[in-house]
Amino acid sequence: MAAAHDLELESVNLDMGREMKEELEEEEKMTEDGGGKGPAKNKKVHRIVSKWMLPEKSRVTYLERANCFPPPVFIISISLAELAVFIYYAVWKPQKQWITLDTGILESPFIYRPEKREEVWRFISYMLVHAGVQHILGNLAMQLVLGIPLEMVHKGLRVGLVYLAGVIAGSLASSIFDPLKSLVGASGGVYALMGGYFMNVLVNFREMIPAFGIVRLLIIILIIASDMGFALYRRFFVPANGSAVSFAAHIAGGFAGMSIGYTVFSCFDKALLKDPRFWIAIAAYLACVLFAVFFNIFLSPAN
């Protein structure tokens, strides 16, 4: 009986193998004939995205249900809003120079300023304002290149959660560790995406194509080094007539990404709310938020 059972299983596996082979041959034939060119291209895009964004065990599930609905609206909308605000302050507000903005953005109702912390929207809206061309181009490039594939895989709600967690963590960390300095830029959100992706690549390194994994890690490190260099310059080497800008948001956004972001991005084919790691990360995040609120009300030197 056992032998008969084994033969049946082998027969089933052979049949499945033949079916998969036939499907692949049919797909290749359609591509060669020019028929189904759109679907074939879409599958190729999704296959590339899955290799860059997911460990091997999750790729099959993604490819089975992959589609562009809903499209990556969150990242595109945020990027357009940031670009629109930058153009507004670069063109229609008085500036000494538009390559590195100064006077106009410091009077913006969006920028985080320690003396105006009671205007709580500034803890989030500062992400819309950028200090110069290099600043906004770096953030837009990174969040589009990384954010769109992430949103294709994980959808806008999850990516938005990670991004905004990084933005809020950035402003609260700046209010604690650099309490007398202003804050601009979406680096907190961008670093949250990078932190979550970085941890996902690191933990699943062997499954995410080692050669590409090394390249991805090196690219992330290069971008972080370049962006942190610009942030440190804005903080410590700003001209005497300029205004220093805090860089704590970069670090806090990265930590938010490595905790909440990693948990969210590693739960692609699982129910996020049922994962205990998610609730542990959320609890730790909320504890830090409560401490930051307490610090700003009672202990901040900016009071």
Side-chain angles (χ1 to χ4, degrees):
M1 292 289 290
H5 184 65
D6 290 342
L7 285 171
E8 284 180 14
L9 286 176
E10 288 175 9
S11 176
V12 170
N13 289 335
L14 286 170
D15 290 340
M16 289 177 65
R18 288 194 197 99
E19 287 175 6
M20 290 179 67
K21 188 176 180 181
E22 287 171 4
E23 287 177 6
L24 287 171
E25 287 175 353
E26 187 178 346
E27 184 179 322
E28 288 174 4
K29 189 176 180 182
M30 287 176 67
T31 306
E32 289 172 2
D33 294 341
K37 190 173 286 186
K41 286 184 177 179
N42 289 341
K43 286 182 179 180
K44 187 175 181 181
V45 169
H46 286 302
R47 199 174 293 116
I48 293 170
V49 167
S50 70
K51 286 181 179 179
W52 279 83
M53 296 292 137
L54 292 168
E56 189 173 358
K57 59 188 177 184
S58 300
R59 288 176 201 158
V60 176
T61 306
Y62 169 71
L63 291 172
E64 285 175 353
R65 64 190 192 194
N67 60 65
C68 290
F69 184 81
V73 174
F74 175 80
I75 286 295
I76 293 173
S77 300
I78 286 289
S79 299
L80 289 174
E82 291 165 1
L83 182 61
V85 170
F86 179 81
I87 291 173
Y88 173 77
Y89 283 105
V91 177
W92 285 286
K93 281 288 184 180
Q95 300 288 335
K96 296 177 183 177
Q97 57 177 339
W98 66 275
I99 294 177
T100 302
L101 306 186
D102 196 356
T103 310
I105 63 170
L106 293 176
E107 300 302 323
S108 170
F110 298 130
I111 186 176
Y112 169 78
R113 297 185 66 174
E115 67 273 18
K116 295 187 176 182
R117 286 170 300 136
E118 67 277 4
E119 297 174 354
V120 292
W121 69 82
R122 291 176 181 263
F123 283 90
I124 296 178
S125 64
Y126 78 93
M127 70 179 180
L128 298 172
V129 188
H130 287 78
V133 172
Q134 181 182 353
H135 193 198
I136 189 167
L137 287 182
N139 280 345
L140 287 181
M142 195 60 216
Q143 72 186 28
L144 288 172
V145 169
L146 182 58
I148 288 178
L150 282 172
E151 194 168 346
M152 286 175 66
V153 173
H154 302 285
K155 303 306 178 185
L157 186 61
R158 291 190 176 192
V159 172
L161 170 66
V162 175
Y163 190 91
L164 293 177
V167 169
I168 296 170
S171 56
L172 291 175
S174 179
S175 70
I176 294 173
F177 297 106
D178 223 348
L180 301 179
K181 300 301 177 184
S182 301
L183 181 65
V184 296
S187 296
V190 174
Y191 272 64
L193 297 181
M194 287 196 293
Y197 180 66
F198 177 83
M199 285 297 293
N200 203 21
V201 172
L202 205 59
V203 172
N204 300 291
F205 187 79
R206 291 183 179 179
E207 298 180 14
M208 297 183 78
I209 311 175
F212 285 158
I214 293 172
V215 171
R216 279 176 277 187
L217 293 177
L218 289 176
I219 290 172
I220 292 173
I221 291 169
L222 180 64
I223 291 170
I224 290 174
S226 173
D227 193 56
M228 282 297 293
F230 179 71
L232 289 170
Y233 170 78
R234 287 283 301 174
R235 173 63 180 85
F236 296 108
F237 301 100
V238 70
N241 59 345
S243 178
V245 178
S246 174
F247 67 95
H250 299 70
I251 299 171
F255 277 116
M258 287 189 285
S259 54
I260 294 177
Y262 165 67
T263 306
V264 170
F265 296 154
S266 64
C267 284
F268 161 71
D269 54 352
K270 300 175 185 175
L272 184 62
L273 299 181
K274 294 182 180 179
D275 191 330
R277 297 176 305 163
F278 174 71
W279 293 110
I280 292 170
I282 289 293
Y285 183 86
L286 290 178
C288 293
V289 168
L290 289 175
F291 173 77
V293 171
F294 178 85
F295 179 90
N296 274 279
I297 294 174
F298 298 108
L299 304 174
S300 176
N303 289 339

